[in-house]
Amino acid sequence: MVRSPQLFLMDEPLSNLDAKLRADMRAEIIELRRQLGGTFIYVTHDQSEAMTMSDRVVLMHEGSIQQIAAPSELYDNPANLFVAEFIGSPKINTLAVRSPTAGELYGFGNHLQGVPKHIDGVAVPVREALSLCLRPEALRLLPTQARDAFTGRIHILENLGNEFLVIVHPIGEVENSEGDTTKPMKLVARVVAMVGRQLHPGDTVHLQPDWSQALLFNQDGFRLSQATVTVLEEVRV
């Protein structure tokens, strides 16, 4: 820093600090970068560091670049299922679904009707195994059942003070996205504290997706609307 370099390389500099000090040091590094005006290449396994400190993120998996994008782009518009599930806390909901006919979906032990025929910018393929992904904030709690809502039973309520995470299991045995019935499938929804305090484990609830925020992936984890994202394929370092 004394020599005023144009490039700084930091390799997990906060990994050995406790949570509070890490948060403080993140702010210090952001301010330091602003003052010095150079380029910082920052290596981390902590998605909160990547999301809060960077202008652009190179997200890698097993030596392969999955996506290069701004943090908000990674969250809202992931290139593939790995990126979608890696970014975000709690993790994005991933459901194994099928569409027998246009406007219908089977998934989470439910038969949904009146579903948009186009999801994630593409026509929903009929009779194909798909992964439907929904962020916890993309699920709305309904007072009564709706044709395009998932019905399940509350398993756990996590009280975070200003909000609750509602963890819902399907009613009955249902395969998860890997085709496994031994690991229970679940949906996680965010609700405001006023609503969360009225809920109890064991309650039957109805969760309606905001279909404008839904993402669709094929069995190989590729986004169906590939044209909408910037993807680097077969790039290895």
Side-chain angles (χ1 to χ4, degrees):
M1 294 181 186
V2 174
R3 299 176 62 186
S4 300
Q6 295 301 304
L7 179 65
F8 296 84
L9 175 60
M10 295 186 173
D11 188 359
E12 301 203 62
L14 309 182
S15 59
N16 293 321
L17 303 181
D18 61 51
K20 181 181 183 305
L21 193 53
R22 286 176 77 148
D24 292 341
M25 288 304 299
R26 282 204 304 266
E28 291 289 339
I29 292 174
I30 292 171
E31 179 59 27
L32 184 65
R33 186 189 65 174
R34 187 179 295 119
Q35 292 176 6
L36 296 175
T39 297
F40 281 59
I41 298 176
Y42 189 104
V43 180
T44 180
H45 287 85
D46 186 334
Q47 63 162 295
S48 62
E49 291 180 12
M51 295 292 283
T52 57
M53 299 174 68
S54 61
D55 298 312
R56 287 176 68 78
V57 178
V58 179
L59 201 157
M60 302 182 67
H61 177 56
E62 295 181 347
S64 178
I65 295 176
Q66 303 296 305
Q67 189 171 359
I68 301 175
S72 57
E73 181 75 1
L74 289 178
Y75 189 85
D76 296 332
N77 207 14
N80 55 47
L81 187 58
F82 174 82
V83 177
E85 294 188 329
F86 185 82
I87 297 294
S89 181
K91 192 173 80 168
I92 198 169
N93 296 294
T94 302
L95 299 179
V97 299
R98 287 180 182 271
S99 176
T101 59
E104 296 184 53
L105 274 184
Y106 281 108
F108 200 66
N110 289 243
H111 178 198
L112 275 58
Q113 298 178 303
V115 174
K117 296 178 181 178
H118 286 75
I119 295 176
D120 195 16
V122 297
V124 180
V126 175
R127 293 184 293 276
E128 284 189 26
L130 302 169
S131 290
L132 172 70
C133 289
L134 295 155
R135 298 283 181 196
E137 60 270 22
L139 291 168
R140 182 166 65 99
L141 211 62
L142 298 181
T144 58
Q145 174 64 297
R147 298 173 68 215
D148 66 338
F150 294 103
T151 296
R153 187 170 288 121
I154 295 177
H155 182 60
I156 295 172
L157 287 166
E158 295 186 1
N159 184 351
L160 302 180
N162 64 321
E163 66 179 5
F164 277 66
L165 295 180
V166 185
I167 300 173
V168 178
H169 284 189
I171 299 172
E173 190 177 82
V174 180
E175 288 185 354
N176 61 22
S177 56
E178 290 85 33
D180 184 2
T181 59
T182 60
K183 293 194 299 184
M185 179 184 288
K186 66 180 180 180
L187 282 171
V188 180
R190 292 184 192 271
V191 299
V192 296
M194 183 176 64
V195 173
R197 293 188 187 107
Q198 301 175 38
L199 303 173
H200 304 89
D203 288 351
T204 297
V205 291
H206 313 291
L207 298 173
Q208 185 177 52
D210 178 349
W211 295 107
S212 68
Q213 297 186 51
L215 307 175
L216 275 181
F217 301 87
N218 64 17
Q219 281 188 303
D220 297 319
F222 292 110
R223 181 95 172 266
L224 295 190
S225 56
Q226 281 292 324
T228 67
V229 292
T230 302
V231 189
L232 296 181
E233 297 183 10
E234 299 302 326
V235 177
R236 292 189 172 272
V237 296

